[in-house]
Amino acid sequence: MILSQLVRLAAKNAIIALYPDIAVDDAMVAVNLTKPEFKGHYTVVVFPFVKLLRKKPDVLGKEWGEAILKADAMFTSFEVVSGFLNLTISDDFWTSFLTGHFNDTTFGRFGDTGQRVMVEYSSPNTNKPLHFGHLRNNFLGAAVSEILKEAGNTVIKANLVNDRGIHICKSMIAWKRYGNGATPERTGIKGDHLVGYYYVKFNDAYKAEVAALMAEGMDDKTAEREAPIMKEAQEMLRLWEMGDPEVRHLWQTMNGWVYQGFDVTYNRLGVTFDKMYYESDTYLLGKRIVEEGLAKGLLFKKENGSVWIDLQPDGLDEKLLLRGDGTSVYITQDLGTAKLKYEEFHLDKSVYVIADEQNYHISVLRFILKRLGEPCADGIYHLSYGMVELPTGRMKSREGTVVDADDMIDEMIAMAKAQTEESGKTLGFTEGELSRLYETIGLGALKFYLLRVDPKKKMIFDPKESIDLHGFTATFVQYAHARICSILRKEGLGKEPPAGTFAGYTATLPLEPLEQKMIQLLEQYPGILHEAADEYNPSTVCNYTFGLAQLFNTFYDAHSISKAENEEKKQLRLMMAVMTAMVLRNAFKLLGIAMPDKM
RNA sequence: GGUCCGGUAGCUCAGUUGGAUAGAGCAUCAGCCUUCUAAGCUGGGGGUCAUUGGUUCGAAUCCAAUCCGGAUCACCA
């Protein structure tokens, strides 16, 4: 059990022992970390019981503190300050904790929950390359998956590729018109970028055609409908749905280019998937569900043959599920995919990592599945995250105002290189080690930057300002880790010294305040993981690793480890250092960020 | 207009089921490398927690109203 729970339990038991007649519910026993300006480690708030027992806060606090102390040797003293009962934990607790866990590589990992969780993320469209906003999605999905795994769940990472639809046809039409047979090989352009170029090209041509028609006196709505290039795209979509061999061939070819490009990017990002879904395979599945719902009378048909669900009882509107011509809409395929996922993997929970602009869409999806009596409805969780915006507003791929993911990665790595060279820290590295280091630092900084903010908040990124490598960054945490590794190297120890290494350690001296704080913060890691998993929130882990690295740096400055005052302190501090490095490393692994031993 | 989300230092953000004098980073100013990696450490300045009212021993946190910003409400995806 983690310490905060132990304290809470001790406090609860003590108050029950003192006053057996009152009803104590858990919410009344408020336990917090003691503020640094007071003596003690954990604080119990006395107020909730003051009125109930009609006692003065200080009197009750004293009784309560004495009872806690008497019951458990873990506590050595207490102080009551204006209604707050501050408890001090014994040095013995801290040192036993450290000796018991410093080399426990599974520290923080939970037991198997038996839960099967799918996390769907990334889910790109195949008409354009990934941009900065997609990076947030990918990093979030990957990190949340790893955090949920660490929390004892079986996790299936899924990617649902939007590989069909009018947007793909737009790129295809533009390529046919303007491409002159261009391929990634012939042009030397990465496949996803090449296809994305024609998507932008389509929109330019479309705008020009609309403008031309309007110049001839057509009104804007009609012009937008009548522009030849748009009609061509719609015709191509129709042919695609009919399975026209030529269209299908071009579609496969161009999607193939995009996948090659994506693979390169995913590889650099270190993002992987256990299961790929393609909308071209799943887009028809929802129709059957809709037809069944219709047969059961849960849905209704309008005169033109379109099928609807009435969600007004749930506080929403009527929602279209099938068009008048019988073709499916966006939500239709989602119904099918949700059911498919559930049946294929027997999921307890299905997480969708999707931007908050689709909040309504996902809640509609859940309501529909619920109404249709599909069991997969209950497990749906929308991990809704805020969009990444530019100072000028949203990125628009149609207009080409995006920060490209590949460019961003290159820039970050170049910056890591420049700063490493500038600080003259390249000595003793081989060329290969250096380029790996630059990737580690550059990509780490990028991931941390996007993960450190609460997912639900939108972010504004100014491309003119580079992402910092100082302060609240991955680099800061990596640096603390590298420093520890350097100490361990000089002491002839590996990163994970075998169990017997500090067997000779016996605690006899009192802990320095910073020693105690370090151990206390290390002890909090499992609780942090729990919180991150509970809330699907990797930023909790970012904040924690930064705090731990920061405290270590303070410690490092204040106390020497290798030249400690005596052997006992040296052993203690080495164990602390080993454990700190391990926790930082494990936490960063969950975030998908590599940890250098040297930098 | 309906629904939902956000508003905390100049900027970017933390702030646990309501708890003590609201914290970091960046920027700025002043210090610290003959001592385990200065990508670091120490300290200063910087706040009407959007506003108003309510709930109570106690509110950045809960409730209501208002203001500001955003998203969404398609036979688009």
Side-chain angles (χ1 to χ4, degrees):
Chain A
M1 200 187 293
I2 64 174
L3 181 54
S4 62
Q5 289 171 332
L6 287 173
V7 174
R8 195 188 174 86
L9 194 63
K12 188 181 166 190
N13 288 342
I15 196 81
I16 290 172
L18 281 173
Y19 300 97
D21 298 336
I22 60 167
V24 179
D25 71 275
D26 279 5
M28 291 169 77
V29 186
V31 173
N32 305 296
L33 291 169
T34 302
K35 295 238 163 199
E37 54 267 38
F38 298 97
K39 180 174 181 292
H41 301 128
Y42 279 88
T43 295
V44 180
V45 187
V46 181
F47 291 113
F49 292 91
V50 165
K51 209 199 282 181
L52 190 66
L53 296 167
R54 276 190 254 151
K55 294 208 139 195
K56 285 198 187 316
D58 289 358
V59 174
L60 179 58
K62 189 154 178 283
E63 277 181 7
W64 200 352
E66 279 165 359
I68 292 172
L69 241 62
K70 208 167 72 182
D72 199 328
M74 181 171 100
F75 304 97
T76 54
S77 67
F78 72 89
E79 252 174 39
V80 182
V81 185
S82 57
F84 295 92
L85 169 58
N86 299 329
L87 298 161
T88 300
I89 312 276
S90 70
D91 280 0
D92 190 50
F93 178 91
W94 300 120
T95 52
S96 332
F97 168 79
L98 184 63
T99 52
H101 292 286
F102 80 93
N103 64 345
D104 172 9
T105 50
T106 64
F107 178 65
R109 191 174 300 164
F110 304 178
D112 192 352
T113 61
Q115 295 278 300
R116 302 174 59 80
V117 184
M118 177 172 279
V119 180
E120 180 201 301
Y121 65 100
S122 198
S123 304
N125 293 347
T126 56
N127 63 327
K128 52 178 184 263
L130 303 180
H131 63 60
F132 202 54
H134 295 123
L135 290 180
R136 189 178 199 191
N137 181 303
N138 280 281
F139 297 155
L140 255 181
V144 164
S145 297
E146 293 308 313
I147 289 168
L148 290 175
K149 251 188 240 177
E150 195 76 349
N153 303 288
T154 300
V155 175
I156 302 111
K157 297 188 280 187
N159 188 356
L160 171 60
V161 183
N162 186 335
D163 62 344
R164 60 164 285 279
I166 189 73
H167 48 292
I168 317 291
C169 293
K170 289 178 181 176
S171 293
M172 285 159 67
I173 285 291
W175 180 86
K176 276 183 86 168
R177 270 210 201 175
Y178 310 109
N180 294 318
T183 67
E185 292 75 27
R186 231 170 279 167
T187 57
I189 297 170
K190 198 161 161 278
D192 49 340
H193 288 264
L194 185 69
V195 172
Y197 170 80
Y198 289 105
Y199 184 68
V200 174
K201 188 89 186 162
F202 174 95
N203 284 291
D204 292 345
Y206 176 53
K207 258 188 256 172
E209 286 184 8
V210 169
L213 289 172
M214 283 169 68
E216 290 167 19
M218 200 178 273
D219 70 87
D220 54 349
K221 284 266 160 61
T222 315
E224 281 168 18
R225 210 168 43 237
E226 293 299 319
I229 195 164
M230 184 59 88
K231 293 189 126 181
E232 283 174 49
Q234 279 158 353
E235 172 61 11
M236 185 177 260
L237 180 62
R238 202 184 62 79
L239 289 170
W240 184 93
E241 297 221 357
M242 284 169 51
D244 178 89
E246 194 188 325
V247 170
R248 286 288 179 134
H249 180 74
L250 177 61
W251 171 73
Q252 272 173 345
T253 304
M254 288 181 73
N255 271 355
W257 297 343
V258 172
Y259 295 141
Q260 280 174 21
F262 282 171
D263 281 348
V264 171
T265 305
Y266 283 142
N267 246 312
R268 293 185 86 185
L269 296 177
V271 169
T272 60
F273 304 97
D274 304 312
K275 174 72 187 178
M276 299 294 290
Y277 288 104
Y278 297 90
E279 281 193 14
S280 55
D281 293 333
T282 64
Y283 83 106
L284 294 172
L285 291 173
K287 281 193 183 177
R288 200 175 58 230
I289 299 178
V290 173
E291 277 152 18
E292 283 169 16
L294 200 56
K296 287 184 203 158
L298 298 168
L299 310 174
F300 66 94
K301 216 169 209 173
K302 290 196 176 174
E303 290 143 16
N304 65 357
S306 56
V307 179
W308 296 72
I309 187 166
D310 182 8
L311 292 175
Q312 289 178 61
D314 297 308
L316 306 174
D317 298 321
E318 291 183 350
K319 188 82 189 168
L320 175 92
L321 297 184
L322 280 181
R323 294 193 186 96
D325 61 7
T327 59
S328 61
V329 289
Y330 182 49
I331 194 116
T332 323
Q333 54 202 331
D334 277 340
L335 295 173
T337 312
K339 191 175 177 180
L340 179 67
K341 285 171 166 182
Y342 180 80
E343 287 172 356
E344 258 186 321
F345 290 97
H346 310 101
L347 302 174
D348 297 292
K349 197 155 268 173
S350 187
V351 179
Y352 291 73
V353 182
I354 299 180
D356 59 9
E357 61 181 351
Q358 297 202 39
N359 285 353
Y360 180 74
H361 176 78
I362 302 288
S363 70
V364 166
L365 176 67
R366 200 177 353 202
F367 275 123
I368 297 173
L369 289 167
K370 189 97 187 151
R371 185 76 68 78
L372 294 176
E374 293 291 344
C376 62
D378 294 322
I380 290 178
Y381 178 83
H382 181 196
L383 174 45
S384 165
Y385 64 91
M387 314 267 285
V388 181
E389 294 178 11
L390 302 173
T392 49
R394 287 175 65 168
M395 299 184 196
K396 295 203 175 83
S397 58
R398 266 180 314 203
E399 293 165 20
T401 60
V402 293
V403 177
D404 180 75
D406 292 317
D407 292 349
M408 201 60 220
I409 297 167
D410 290 339
E411 269 176 47
M412 289 304 298
I413 292 171
M415 197 163 72
K417 182 171 192 273
Q419 294 213 17
T420 306
E421 285 169 351
E422 195 186 325
S423 59
K425 296 200 170 186
T426 54
L427 282 171
F429 287 90
T430 66
E431 278 303 308
E433 283 170 344
L434 277 178
S435 62
R436 258 200 306 284
L437 179 64
Y438 301 149
E439 291 241 338
T440 299
I441 295 173
L443 269 170
L446 185 60
K447 290 186 183 182
F448 198 91
Y449 181 84
L450 287 165
L451 286 174
R452 68 182 197 185
V453 181
D454 187 331
K456 69 171 175 285
K457 296 201 175 180
K458 76 171 182 198
M459 305 181 62
I460 294 171
F461 174 70
D462 189 344
K464 288 200 293 292
E465 291 172 18
S466 50
I467 293 173
D468 210 330
L469 300 183
H470 301 272
F472 186 22
T473 63
T475 314
F476 182 97
V477 180
Q478 289 168 328
Y479 184 63
H481 182 264
R483 277 175 148 183
I484 294 174
C485 289
S486 170
I487 294 171
L488 297 179
R489 268 197 304 276
K490 289 187 177 164
E491 291 296 324
L493 297 169
K495 275 188 289 182
E496 288 168 11
T501 310
F502 303 101
Y505 172 77
T506 323
T508 63
L509 301 166
L511 291 176
E512 298 285 339
L514 280 171
E515 291 169 340
Q516 182 275 318
K517 277 186 189 159
M518 284 278 347
I519 303 173
Q520 187 176 0
L521 193 52
L522 287 166
E523 195 279 333
Q524 288 166 17
Y525 178 60
I528 294 295
L529 258 183
H530 194 90
E531 196 182 321
D534 256 17
E535 294 168 7
Y536 304 86
N537 185 359
S539 77
T540 310
V541 177
C542 291
N543 279 303
Y544 174 79
T545 57
F546 176 66
L548 185 58
Q550 201 175 34
L551 184 61
F552 177 79
N553 281 335
T554 300
F555 183 88
Y556 179 93
D557 202 61
H559 301 288
S560 178
I561 295 171
S562 9
K563 292 179 189 150
E565 301 86 293
N566 54 58
E567 189 58 21
E568 180 185 327
K569 286 293 183 192
K570 182 169 174 179
Q571 302 261 306
L572 173 82
R573 290 173 191 171
L574 280 170
M575 279 190 280
M576 277 174 33
V578 166
M579 188 167 182
T580 301
M582 177 188 80
V583 168
L584 292 178
R585 205 159 51 235
N586 288 351
F588 259 37
K589 191 164 184 214
L590 301 181
L591 301 175
I593 303 176
M595 203 58 115
D597 295 349
K598 247 194 331 183
M599 65 188 278

